Amino acid sequence: MTSGFVTLLYKEVLRFWKVSFQTVGAPVLTALLYLMIFSHVLESHVQVNGVPYGAFLIPGLVIMSALQNAFANSSSSLIQSKVTGSVVFVLLPPISYVEFFLAYVVAAMLRGVMVGVGVLAVTIWFAPLTFVAPHWILLFIALGGAIMGTLGMIAGIWADKFDQLAGFQNFLIMPLTMLSGVFYSIHSLPEFWQVVSRFNPVFYMIDGFRFGFFGASDVAPEFSLAVVTASFVLASAATLALLRSGYKLRS
Amino acid sequence: MSVAVSISRVEKCFGALRALAGVSLQVAEGEFFGLLGPNGAGKTTLISCLAGLTRPDSGTLSVMGHDVRSDYRSARRQLGVVPQELVFDPFFSVRETLRIQSGYFGIRNNDDWIDEILANLDLTAKADVNMRRLSGGMKRRVLVAQALVHKPPVLVLDEPTAGVDVELRQGLWQFVRRLNQDGHTVILTTHYLEEAEALCGRIAMLKQGQVVALDTTRNLLARYSGQTLNLRLAGGAASLPDALRARATESDGTCAFHLAGLDELEPLLSALREGHCVIDDLRLTQADLEDVFLGVMQNSGSAHEAAR
Ligand SMILES: Nc1ncnc2c1ncn2[C@@H]1O[C@H](COP(=O)(O)OP(=O)(O)OP(=O)(O)O)[C@@H](O)[C@H]1O
Ligand SMILES: [Mg+2]
């Protein structure tokens, strides 16, 4: 790996770290508000898989925030540099498209993990949480962040304007992450929506992630891992193909 | 002398528009080369193809012998490009920008060279200022600095002096001249033709994606040597006899006639007299690159003299 990759990664991390109040702080606050409102309303009524609702909700919020911010990182960085034209600075140097891909995805993953850690740090005090199988926790947040970073790249490359990106975010990423079992177990859904949920890859990221905390989940974590890995391979292949072709970046 | 930049039969279309219609030219190592042409001629597109920012539909380009497509890593290491658009990354200071740009080229600990560039571009005082807080001309200078971080043997400047004040323009040219004397090949596009005339040893003129002139600056000036007669007529250009109007170049109500020599002056004046034209003002000037440029652009309707 040449230092072109290292520098691009460094630059991408520095970019969000310099404004970490908005890029890390804000989503942590949002997640905290979700927790306070939902767990306050539902705590006394609901238990999921034998876990109190507040405790059930926290891992969901952690990974949901991580996923949304991983997406936001690569997509906003790319569209910003496209709109301002500063993308030429990374197109002129001898950086291969694979290095380009890895730098953006790893930076997105890091932002996702940072936000996830932040959310966990502020919410952990509100409910008794266990960490039954930490390796699943790490695996799913890392892979989930990578997938979202990859999708963020696709969106950032495709969109020409900020509102197109917002559309991608509002009509695809938000529904996928919200309707994935962050706030409920899919077993509590009507049959039809259970089936729909099973076609949502984000559901598997969240379900597998939650297994790492409680040792219980809607589907087996190995199966979730298989789905999530396959999704990552697909999304990466698509992104690499886009980058290789120069689509919208090297006209 | 070996070839620094080789461009061969490059074509590029944007939809129905042929931005480059088969451009071929070579720039030798150490040359100071001018790429001229009106707005939309394809200069920036050609530079983008060379830099790998745009992919040509056909044709090949190489920098210091490295193909820009198949051997892009080496080609890009040899090339520094100052883009035409005033772009910057608002997240970083000038020094951070230059350090990061060095890193992209695999260069660490580049501070000595960065300091030297900053000093030469009169940016030392702004080194730790955020890019957002620079004036337009200063941002332009940072773009020049960014193109130089990896000491590229070939430097391409796409209108580097647009929006730059006189003092800095002089300083910039001094710096670029020195780089050229040190062996860097320089390719320059500009709309300030007196700059091109003073700096460039050889010039290519582009029109609608084709090379319409390619020669040394001296030969180009010699080809169009002679004088230009600038006339302001009481009746405007419309009062010219048809035969004369075809020869005239009009701008701002002034009609310019190119004269190969002073012996052409008398016949022209008598033709004017016969046409009953009343002369308000008359000026005779020595031809410069601007006349060459206008002449080439006008006479190259369909004949592409240098296009191969
Ligand atoms: N990305 C693009 N998409 C569509 N058309 C383009 C694109 N880039 C350039 N063109 C067109 O190609 C032609 C050549 O443009 P180019 O920017 O190369 O001109 P130029 O010689 O650099 O002009 P100027 O002196 O104004 O900078 C123009 O007609 C321009 O509109
Ligand atoms: Mg241009």
Side-chain angles (χ1 to χ4, degrees):
Chain A
M1 205 57 69
T2 74
S3 69
F5 160 77
V6 177
T7 306
L8 187 52
L9 173 60
Y10 166 78
K11 184 221 105 183
E12 277 301 295
V13 172
L14 199 60
R15 192 193 70 90
F16 78 76
W17 191 244
K18 280 197 168 195
V19 284
S20 54
F21 193 70
Q22 298 141 47
T23 54
V24 180
V28 169
L29 179 65
T30 309
L32 185 62
L33 294 175
Y34 271 128
L35 179 75
M36 299 209 300
I37 293 162
F38 280 90
S39 65
H40 173 74
V41 175
L42 298 172
E43 186 70 64
S44 47
H45 307 289
V46 192
Q47 275 215 340
V48 188
N49 296 338
V51 177
Y53 184 69
F56 172 85
L57 183 58
I58 289 172
L61 287 175
V62 169
I63 191 164
M64 182 183 79
S65 310
L67 297 179
Q68 287 176 347
N69 280 278
F71 178 87
N73 202 67
S74 49
S75 60
S76 64
S77 173
L78 275 170
I79 190 134
Q80 244 165 31
S81 58
K82 270 172 50 181
V83 169
T84 63
S86 63
V87 70
V88 297
F89 301 139
V90 293
L91 296 178
L92 288 172
I95 297 174
S96 73
Y97 71 96
V98 178
E99 290 176 276
F100 193 84
F101 170 79
L102 288 175
Y104 278 87
V105 170
V106 173
M109 205 164 79
L110 286 177
R111 162 132 164 231
V113 170
M114 250 179 235
V115 169
V117 169
V119 173
L120 188 65
V122 299
T123 53
I124 197 166
W125 317 102
F126 290 83
L129 214 53
T130 54
F131 299 86
V132 170
H135 61 283
W136 288 119
I137 296 178
L138 291 175
L139 202 56
F140 278 101
I141 199 169
L143 262 177
I147 291 176
M148 286 306 187
T150 308
L151 292 180
M153 282 193 86
I154 295 178
I157 292 169
W158 165 77
D160 298 313
K161 292 178 284 185
F162 284 100
D163 49 335
Q164 288 175 325
L165 183 61
F168 201 101
Q169 197 147 16
N170 292 331
F171 290 98
L172 192 69
I173 301 303
M174 279 300 262
L176 280 181
T177 50
M178 298 289 260
L179 303 175
S180 57
V182 173
F183 299 104
Y184 50 80
S185 157
I186 62 160
H187 287 308
S188 61
L189 290 177
E191 184 73 27
F192 173 75
W193 288 107
Q194 284 199 30
V195 174
V196 171
S197 297
R198 282 173 188 277
F199 283 98
N200 178 1
V202 182
F203 158 72
Y204 297 93
M205 299 175 202
I206 293 181
D207 199 57
F209 185 69
R210 207 173 253 139
F211 178 89
F213 289 85
F214 308 119
S217 53
D218 288 339
V219 300
E222 292 82 5
F223 183 73
S224 293
L225 182 63
V227 174
V228 170
T229 307
S231 308
F232 178 61
V233 171
L234 265 178
S236 301
T239 311
L240 285 167
L242 276 187
L243 289 172
R244 209 176 113 87
S245 76
Y247 177 73
K248 290 213 177 175
L249 289 177
R250 298 184 193 274
S251 57
Chain B
M1 182 118 17
S2 52
V3 175
V5 168
S6 172
I7 296 170
S8 169
R9 293 191 299 278
V10 170
E11 294 187 34
K12 176 72 188 178
C13 294
F14 295 108
L17 184 113
R18 278 185 101 194
L20 296 175
V23 172
S24 298
L25 53 91
Q26 295 204 331
V27 180
E29 231 176 287
E31 268 197 276
F32 205 126
F33 189 87
L35 193 58
L36 307 183
N39 292 136
K43 304 178 295 293
T44 301
T45 307
L46 188 62
I47 291 170
S48 298
C49 289
L50 193 64
L53 297 173
T54 296
R55 289 179 182 166
D57 300 330
S58 64
T60 55
L61 305 97
S62 68
V63 182
M64 303 299 280
H66 305 283
D67 186 86
V68 301
R69 193 75 196 270
S70 61
D71 193 8
Y72 70 93
R73 276 188 196 270
S74 309
R76 289 186 203 165
R77 253 185 253 288
Q78 313 290 325
L79 185 69
V81 177
V82 182
Q84 177 176 7
E85 304 291 332
L86 201 56
V87 295
F88 62 97
D89 199 328
F91 288 94
F92 305 111
S93 72
V94 174
R95 186 177 292 281
E96 280 172 331
T97 300
L98 297 178
R99 280 189 182 150
I100 289 171
Q101 203 65 27
S102 306
Y104 291 157
F105 284 89
I107 304 164
R108 283 150 194 274
N109 311 320
N110 201 19
D111 276 3
D112 289 344
W113 175 234
I114 288 176
D115 284 333
E116 198 179 326
I117 305 175
L118 288 176
N120 274 295
L121 291 167
D122 205 9
L123 281 169
T124 308
K126 300 285 179 184
D128 298 309
V129 173
N130 184 284
M131 288 299 299
R132 247 183 310 219
R133 295 185 200 285
L134 297 185
S135 73
M138 292 173 187
K139 288 188 187 119
R140 172 84 58 198
R141 289 183 240 170
V142 176
L143 281 179
V144 176
Q146 272 177 278
L148 289 171
V149 287
H150 56 296
K151 299 187 180 165
V154 180
L155 179 64
V156 180
L157 303 128
D158 197 349
E159 295 188 38
T161 45
V164 171
D165 67 41
V166 183
E167 200 177 335
L168 185 90
R169 199 182 292 178
Q170 298 303 331
L172 180 65
W173 290 137
Q174 225 169 31
F175 185 38
V176 173
R177 252 200 183 121
R178 218 185 66 213
L179 289 168
N180 181 239
Q181 276 155 12
D182 292 347
H184 293 258
T185 307
V186 179
I187 298 177
L188 165 73
T189 85
T190 179
H191 291 292
Y192 299 105
L193 296 177
E194 67 284 13
E195 277 181 4
E197 186 175 336
L199 291 162
C200 301
R202 218 154 58 91
I203 284 173
M205 293 189 187
L206 236 59
K207 183 186 177 184
Q208 291 171 4
Q210 283 179 311
V211 178
V212 290
L214 176 63
D215 211 335
T216 60
T217 311
R218 189 184 314 178
N219 285 348
L220 283 171
L221 287 170
R223 172 143 35 125
Y224 280 79
S225 75
Q227 287 79 20
T228 305
L229 179 69
N230 297 289
L231 289 176
R232 265 232 312 282
L233 298 170
S239 67
L240 282 172
D242 288 345
L244 287 182
R245 202 180 319 163
R247 277 182 61 190
T249 326
E250 261 186 83
S251 64
D252 301 336
T254 305
C255 308
F257 293 89
H258 178 75
L259 306 175
L262 282 175
D263 49 340
E264 286 187 9
L265 184 60
E266 181 44 40
L268 179 67
L269 289 175
S270 64
L272 285 167
R273 216 173 304 124
E274 274 160 34
H276 306 294
C277 298
V278 182
I279 297 171
D280 270 356
D281 189 20
L282 179 151
R283 234 165 1 103
L284 197 59
T285 53
Q286 202 63 36
D288 60 8
L289 194 60
E290 197 160 312
D291 300 303
V292 178
F293 183 82
L294 291 173
V296 167
M297 290 305 145
Q298 216 163 41
N299 299 333
S300 59
S302 56
H304 309 294
E305 43 175 318
R308 272 165 291 158

